[in-house]
Amino acid sequence: MWYWYDRLEAWLAVVLLGATSLTLLASSTARAIGQPFAGGAELAQLLFIWTAVLGADITLRHGGQVRIDALAIRLPLPLQRLVTGLCLVLMLGFLALLVRYGFPLALSNWQRPMGVAGLSYGYITLALPVGASLMIVSLLRRVAAKGIVMSLAPDSEIVEKHS
């Protein structure tokens, strides 16, 4: 099941990035020939935000998030587990807050139009709680698959340590 979930998310991120590029190309071309594409910039913004959210989750799933572990890797294993566990709790707590307050925010913005495109601003604000939900799932999957200590390490580092 996770294989298809991961493939679908990656495919959707690529499609959204391509749609963002095509929207910008169409908008700039239409403007250059004197027929501006009303709402092109807003549509590209919407597509790009969703691309970024999916890309952030894909990056997190592969352990590519920014981390500073110069001190943590020098600690004994039980302390590494404690420090990494604390980081995971803080990350999951923050993501849970984004989910908790993000969905009501998106619903409250549903009637707000986004520029001249006429799209609902709720589509943009919905990216935040949906992305946070996806990241919670990704973090929990990493902990289950790799354990607490290696859950935040990049996949390339995990392969190197086990080789």
Side-chain angles (χ1 to χ4, degrees):
M1 177 188 114
W2 290 118
Y3 173 80
W4 292 109
Y5 171 88
D6 294 345
R7 297 276 304 204
L8 176 65
E9 187 178 32
W11 178 83
L12 187 57
V14 169
V15 167
L16 288 172
L17 182 60
T20 302
S21 300
L22 289 174
T23 301
L24 288 171
L25 176 66
S27 180
S28 60
T29 303
R31 189 176 323 117
I33 61 173
Q35 299 293 323
F37 172 31
E42 289 93 358
L43 181 58
Q45 177 186 22
L46 169 71
L47 294 169
F48 183 72
I49 287 169
W50 277 93
T51 303
V53 165
L54 292 177
D57 182 50
I58 292 167
T59 299
L60 183 64
R61 187 175 339 113
H62 294 289
Q65 72 283 348
V66 173
R67 64 192 180 103
I68 300 171
D69 63 357
L71 293 175
I73 60 173
R74 290 173 174 72
L75 295 173
L77 191 58
L79 283 176
Q80 282 185 25
R81 190 173 289 116
L82 179 69
V83 169
T84 305
L86 178 63
C87 288
L88 286 167
V89 167
L90 290 172
M91 290 170 74
L92 288 168
F94 178 71
L95 291 170
L97 286 173
L98 292 179
V99 171
R100 164 69 179 91
Y101 293 105
F103 280 114
L105 176 66
L107 290 174
S108 71
N109 279 315
W110 215 258
Q111 299 303 319
R112 180 178 163 196
M114 186 177 73
V116 296
L119 295 170
S120 169
Y121 195 74
Y123 290 119
I124 286 181
T125 54
L126 188 62
L128 184 68
V130 169
S133 299
L134 293 172
M135 289 181 207
I136 289 171
V137 170
S138 293
L139 273 176
L140 294 176
R141 283 177 59 193
R142 284 191 67 82
V143 170
K146 299 176 185 334
I148 291 175
V149 173
M150 297 307 292
S151 62
L152 297 179
D155 287 348
S156 59
E157 188 175 306
I158 293 170
V159 171
E160 291 170 10
K161 285 187 177 184
H162 288 76
S163 298

